[in-house]
Amino acid sequence: MDMLCKVLVFFAIFYSVTAEIYIVTMEGDPIISYKGGVNGFEATAVESDEKIDTTSDLVTSYGRHLERKHDMLLGMLFEEGSYKKLYSYKHLINGFAAHLSPAQAEMLGRSPGVKSVSRDWKVRKLTTHTPQFLGLPTDVWPTGGGYDRAGEDIVIGFIDSGIFPHHPSFASHHTSVPYGPHPSYKGKCEDDPRTKLSFCNGKIIGAQHFAEAAKAAGAFNPDVDFASPMDGDGHGSHTAAIAAGNNGVPVRMHGYEFGKASGMAPRARIAVYKALYRLFGGFVSDVVAAIDQAVHDGVDILSLSVGPNSPPTTTKITFLNPFDATLLGAVKAGVFVAQAAGNGGPFPKTLVSYSPWITTVAAAIDDRRYKNHLTLGNGKMLAGIGLSPSTRPRRSYKMVSANDVLLGSSGVRYNPSDCQKPEVLNKKLVEGNILLCGYSFNFVAGSASIKKVAETARHLGAAGFVLVVENVSPGTKFDPVPSGIPGILITDVSKSMDLIDYYNVTTSRDWMGRVKSFNAEGSIGDGLEPILHKSAPEVALFSARGPNTKDFSFQDADLLKPDILAPGSLIWSAWSQNGTDEANYVAGEGFALISGTSMAAPHIAGIAALVKQKHPQWSPAAIKSALMTTSTVMDRAGRPLQAQQYSETETMTLVKATPFDYGSGHVNPSAALDPGLVFDAGYEDYLGFLCTTPGINAHEIRNFTNTPCNYKMRHPSNFNSPSIAISHLVRTQTVTRRVTNVAEEEETYTITSRMEPSIAIEVSPPAMTLRAGASREFSVTLTVRSVSGVYSFGEVTLKGSRGHKVSLPVVALGQKR
């Protein structure tokens, strides 16, 4: 008997030492793509992979069928106790993860029905995952000498909240190639008043702050706003790292590594012009001073994740104010300007970036989504979001509502359901259980945070937490928040009701409503691994929409905005250790996962740096044209781009996107490096646009530009933009465009067009040949066929004999007169 025990102990030790985790994929469709064919199980596949109802009987039964097949295979091959199945994968892939010996894994690999057996690897959720999504490492960085040369000597200026210079995303020693002095940049570096150390290090080559207006207004508090370039809220560090952060920076939070961070142009230099502050934002005069200084210092690119809340009231015209006029000067000086479109979507006319000299960037959702699920004791699986580990596998936990575990009358002073105050809840009742909390308006207002819920649950010894959304206000944005303990946010109100109903039915109460026993059970899934979707990109719900407006009365402009779409939803990037901009990422965090057109603009700034590196002589307009005309209006599955929008019931849905959502389309960096043709423009062209726009007084234009008007353009729609917009089309109008061949060889282009039926479109000439460096004009004639009262959309396409393709979006509103 002793010998047998010794053998078993030896086997257990041997197994535990040699066994590893393997991921096994099986033949047969997972739930997401199962179209039927298995006896007794109806199809579960749906058109949109985001709308699978994981609680439906069809899905549940087919999922159980797959799990049984996994268990049967393991049971047939191996003795019980010699392996451990960790998970069954049923929804997105058909397979399982198991703890096996290498010999068992080899046996599995030879078994019928098994497609692959792979040893598990470390979870790798790429921070700025967007370099991979955009094809930079394989298609773009190699053309500039690799990631350690991508953006070499291009200076990106950031008008933002400063920078945390000690972050590894900005370290000068992170690269194998040392940074030398920049050949032309002449900005200065302030010292940190506390440490007396310079903010600059070779990677960061300029760092200044601008707060005179803020001080004069009495808004500046040096204790929290920092009288230096130090980032006081995290936003500036986040945007700078998106555009130009070092490549390969490990992202670690709560004991987990979420992959490696990288900016779009990891070798570009960073110049910081702090003009935004935590509590009050910023003043235009400080921002204008920062822009002015940046242009003076010699930046190549300006990244602006800043804009007014609405068209400026101090000036009648959106294009003519100190902010836009200063940026016109910057462009005149050869600086490319990327500006966030604004976060007022999905409603029309919510843009806060208006002018033709600015590249206005809308926000897209990329292919990475974080999802999770809560499994109830009755077998129902409720979908939600939660960037957290799972509760222990194969185990359910009691669920207790915060309202049912109050300490005496603690709830009189606080809202206990928010789970923001651990001291008002009974630790003895919470410990070891899942804590149920309510997602109140306090979360929307910012006085409550998911991070604080996680801290409360941890403090009380909970096994995990669930946040339940019972009401959704229009515009509410739910993002996954990293948590070190299991947690999930149930955002679908109907699923929340399922949970509440289950909890109420199973919880035993006395005649006064007090809980006698908690009987509801549940388990939280693993939300750490992202899901990659083919239905990407999509226009984010919050992203501001056109039409563009020309004045404070919101009259439509003859200029399409936004210009382009770039990733801006759930972007991992650097954070300041002083960061307080987001309630869920407070002081001490190194990284944050946040959303906004603020995140989209630096993507374009960084990609523009790569284009500038390859084509140093190109004007800002040429770079903008290259980005726009090579963009795509199709998603990864080959379908037209979709936009998140509200349905009649105020729930989020998807609709076919239009140029008012995405401009010319989603950025395609590889194609932008070699566009074939560009629509170039200069200062005189911008003046011509202003002078021919109805409602703008020539005297006002001269006030801001110090230049008299010229009217050669005749109509603002003739501005040489890589898009066409006519807000008041009566009968027929012809617009002209001028293209320049920037390729190295002669090429012949055929020109085609299409338009929605209410407006006819014709192009002339139908084809043209351009030598390298040559320019030619073509015309586009639009004619009203019927007055529909809504904009019509179309496209002009130029296809080259050497493979280049250039597309221009067309928008027009037919009028009777």
Side-chain angles (χ1 to χ4, degrees):
M1 190 69 179
D2 286 346
M3 181 58 69
L4 177 60
C5 288
K6 288 178 181 175
V7 169
L8 290 175
V9 169
F10 172 81
F11 178 81
I13 294 172
F14 178 79
Y15 169 73
S16 64
V17 170
T18 60
E20 296 182 83
I21 298 172
Y22 292 86
I23 297 173
V24 181
T25 59
M26 308 258 312
E27 290 177 1
D29 290 320
I31 289 166
I32 201 167
S33 54
Y34 173 61
K35 296 180 180 178
V38 178
N39 238 359
F41 298 96
E42 294 181 34
T44 57
V46 289
E47 287 297 315
S48 171
D49 54 8
E50 293 192 307
K51 295 185 180 178
I52 293 176
D53 182 6
T54 54
T55 63
S56 77
D57 290 338
L58 290 178
V59 169
T60 303
S61 61
Y62 182 65
R64 285 177 184 153
H65 161 73
L66 293 179
E67 188 161 2
R68 280 196 299 269
K69 288 189 70 175
H70 304 160
D71 293 337
M72 284 173 58
L73 176 66
L74 286 166
M76 285 190 303
L77 289 176
F78 311 125
E79 295 228 356
E80 189 174 348
S82 68
Y83 68 91
K84 184 178 182 182
K85 192 189 78 169
L86 304 177
Y87 302 103
S88 270
Y89 304 121
K90 301 165 288 189
H91 296 91
L92 301 170
I93 61 169
N94 175 18
F96 56 87
H99 199 219
L100 306 164
S101 70
Q104 288 173 317
E106 191 177 335
M107 187 183 299
L108 259 178
R110 296 195 301 265
S111 301
V114 173
K115 293 202 304 188
S116 68
V117 178
S118 304
R119 191 168 62 182
D120 197 7
W121 59 97
K122 205 170 186 179
V123 172
R124 184 182 176 85
K125 278 163 226 71
L126 296 168
T127 56
T128 312
H129 161 74
T130 41
Q132 282 68 27
F133 179 66
L134 297 171
L136 297 181
T138 54
D139 300 333
V140 178
W141 291 345
T143 66
Y147 74 84
D148 55 349
R149 294 292 184 187
E152 183 77 64
D153 284 339
I154 303 298
V155 181
I156 306 177
F158 296 89
I159 313 295
D160 216 302
S161 65
I163 199 164
F164 185 68
H166 314 300
H167 197 282
S169 289
F170 313 123
S172 60
H173 57 76
H174 188 83
T175 175
S176 58
V177 183
Y179 286 101
H182 191 275
S184 59
Y185 179 77
K186 47 187 178 290
K188 69 177 183 178
C189 291
E190 294 182 20
D191 293 337
D192 188 327
R194 296 172 303 173
T195 64
K196 308 304 179 185
L197 297 175
S198 173
F199 272 81
C200 294
N201 60 6
K203 172 69 172 177
I204 303 170
I205 59 170
Q208 302 170 59
H209 82 287
F210 301 82
E212 294 306 310
K215 290 175 184 176
F220 187 86
N221 181 345
D223 292 333
V224 294
D225 294 319
F226 301 107
S228 76
M230 179 63 74
D231 187 357
D233 68 13
H235 191 272
S237 301
H238 201 271
T239 57
I242 290 172
N246 289 324
N247 182 64
V249 177
V251 180
R252 297 186 181 96
M253 288 184 72
H254 305 298
Y256 301 97
E257 183 172 313
F258 288 92
K260 301 288 192 290
S262 177
M264 301 297 103
R267 185 67 177 178
R269 310 289 186 104
I270 293 170
V272 177
Y273 299 88
K274 178 179 172 180
L276 302 180
Y277 297 88
R278 177 167 67 91
L279 296 177
F280 58 89
F283 291 83
V284 168
S285 49
D286 287 334
V287 172
V288 167
I291 296 168
D292 185 73
Q293 186 65 48
V295 175
H296 165 271
D297 293 343
V299 302
D300 300 296
I301 314 283
L302 271 177
S303 180
L304 293 163
S305 293
V306 56
N309 293 326
S310 63
T313 55
T314 52
T315 53
K316 182 182 176 185
I317 303 300
T318 55
F319 314 123
L320 282 179
N321 59 77
F323 179 75
D324 283 75
T326 302
L327 291 175
L328 174 58
V331 172
K332 184 181 182 183
V335 177
F336 175 91
V337 179
Q339 185 185 15
N343 296 334
F347 308 106
K349 297 190 180 184
T350 48
L351 294 159
V352 296
S353 175
Y354 315 99
S355 299
W357 45 90
I358 297 167
T359 302
T360 301
V361 189
I365 295 170
D366 64 23
D367 61 341
R368 184 187 58 189
R369 319 285 165 86
Y370 289 102
K371 296 187 178 183
N372 207 343
H373 61 274
L374 171 70
T375 304
L376 302 181
N378 61 9
K380 277 194 172 183
M381 188 181 289
L382 308 182
I385 56 175
L387 191 54
S388 75
S390 67
T391 49
R392 290 178 63 181
R394 297 179 175 275
R395 180 176 169 184
S396 289
Y397 294 82
K398 298 284 186 186
M399 295 193 290
V400 298
S401 169
N403 287 326
D404 288 330
V405 293
L406 283 179
L407 282 172
S409 58
S410 304
V412 174
R413 291 183 57 203
Y414 304 106
N415 182 352
S417 70
D418 281 356
C419 298
Q420 301 293 292
K421 302 272 184 184
E423 61 269 24
V424 306
L425 303 177
N426 190 326
K427 183 173 183 177
K428 288 182 180 178
L429 295 177
V430 175
E431 196 166 16
N433 297 322
I434 292 175
L435 179 62
L436 302 184
C437 310
Y439 192 92
S440 69
F441 181 75
N442 292 338
F443 288 89
V444 181
S447 58
S449 70
I450 298 174
K451 181 181 179 67
K452 189 64 179 174
V453 175
E455 290 174 354
T456 296
R458 183 190 293 279
H459 181 82
L460 297 173
F465 67 88
V466 179
L467 261 175
V468 181
V469 178
E470 297 181 59
N471 296 289
V472 179
S473 304
T476 303
K477 185 160 59 77
F478 298 113
D479 285 348
V481 175
S483 168
I485 71 169
I488 187 168
L489 173 66
I490 307 295
T491 60
D492 186 324
V493 174
S494 66
K495 301 292 188 292
S496 295
M497 292 302 107
D498 286 344
L499 171 57
I500 292 167
D501 290 344
Y502 168 69
Y503 179 81
N504 288 336
V505 166
T506 56
T507 301
S508 175
R509 300 178 186 273
D510 64 19
W511 65 276
M512 291 184 65
R514 292 173 301 200
V515 175
K516 292 196 295 182
S517 63
F518 295 101
N519 300 310
E521 294 188 344
S523 61
I524 299 169
D526 187 343
L528 293 172
E529 185 68 36
I531 299 165
L532 301 183
H533 281 227
K534 284 187 177 179
S535 60
E538 295 168 357
V539 182
L541 186 71
F542 59 80
S543 186
R545 311 295 212 262
N548 193 16
T549 52
K550 65 180 181 180
D551 54 32
F552 189 62
S553 63
F554 287 89
Q555 291 188 55
D556 293 5
D558 290 311
L559 178 74
L560 180 63
K561 291 282 179 175
D563 291 305
I564 198 163
L565 186 66
S569 179
L570 300 182
I571 305 299
W572 277 111
S573 190
W575 200 242
S576 172
Q577 290 206 353
N578 309 300
T580 51
D581 185 47
E582 294 276 337
N584 290 310
Y585 300 94
V586 295
E589 303 282 19
F591 294 87
L593 180 72
I594 54 178
S595 302
T597 53
S598 281
M599 285 66 250
H603 276 89
I604 292 300
I607 295 166
L610 301 176
V611 178
K612 178 81 172 175
Q613 179 188 15
K614 184 171 182 181
H615 304 285
Q617 302 307 314
W618 281 11
S619 68
I623 296 172
K624 177 181 177 180
S625 173
L627 294 169
M628 289 177 63
T629 61
T630 58
S631 62
T632 178
V633 295
M634 308 297 284
D635 69 16
R636 292 296 170 90
R639 299 169 299 197
L641 287 178
Q642 292 186 299
Q644 293 186 339
Q645 184 58 262
Y646 285 126
S647 67
E648 292 179 3
T649 59
E650 294 188 341
T651 57
M652 199 278 287
T653 186
L654 290 171
V655 299
K656 184 180 177 182
T658 76
F660 289 144
D661 303 317
Y662 55 66
S664 59
H666 191 273
V667 65
N668 180 350
S670 177
L673 294 177
D674 181 23
L677 301 174
V678 296
F679 294 77
D680 211 349
Y683 189 66
E684 289 298 319
D685 297 290
Y686 299 125
L687 286 177
F689 171 84
L690 292 172
C691 294
T692 55
T693 295
I696 304 184
N697 185 286
H699 180 69
E700 289 181 272
I701 296 171
R702 187 156 193 163
N703 280 346
F704 281 104
T705 65
N706 299 311
T707 309
C709 259
N710 73 75
Y711 300 95
K712 295 177 183 176
M713 198 173 285
R714 300 190 308 280
H715 193 278
S717 291
N718 286 323
F719 171 69
N720 203 45
S721 168
S723 60
I724 296 172
I726 303 176
S727 62
H728 196 86
L729 178 62
V730 180
R731 293 187 291 275
T732 295
Q733 185 173 329
T734 298
V735 300
T736 59
R737 289 293 183 271
R738 182 182 67 257
V739 290
T740 302
N741 183 4
V742 292
E744 295 179 352
E745 297 178 284
E746 180 178 278
E747 193 162 5
T748 298
Y749 285 85
T750 57
I751 310 176
T752 57
S753 60
R754 60 174 180 81
M755 199 77 186
E756 290 176 346
S758 60
I759 292 178
I761 186 168
E762 187 179 348
V763 293
S764 178
M768 55 189 184
T769 300
L770 291 93
R771 298 188 308 275
S775 299
R776 281 198 60 180
E777 286 191 352
F778 67 93
S779 64
V780 180
T781 301
L782 300 170
T783 304
V784 178
R785 282 178 170 157
S786 61
V787 177
S788 64
V790 296
Y791 274 91
S792 295
F793 303 103
E795 185 179 53
V796 173
T797 303
L798 294 86
K799 286 187 179 179
S801 56
R802 297 184 178 275
H804 293 106
K805 180 183 176 183
V806 168
S807 296
L808 287 79
V810 181
V811 302
L813 181 60
Q815 310 272 9
K816 289 182 179 177
R817 59 180 179 81

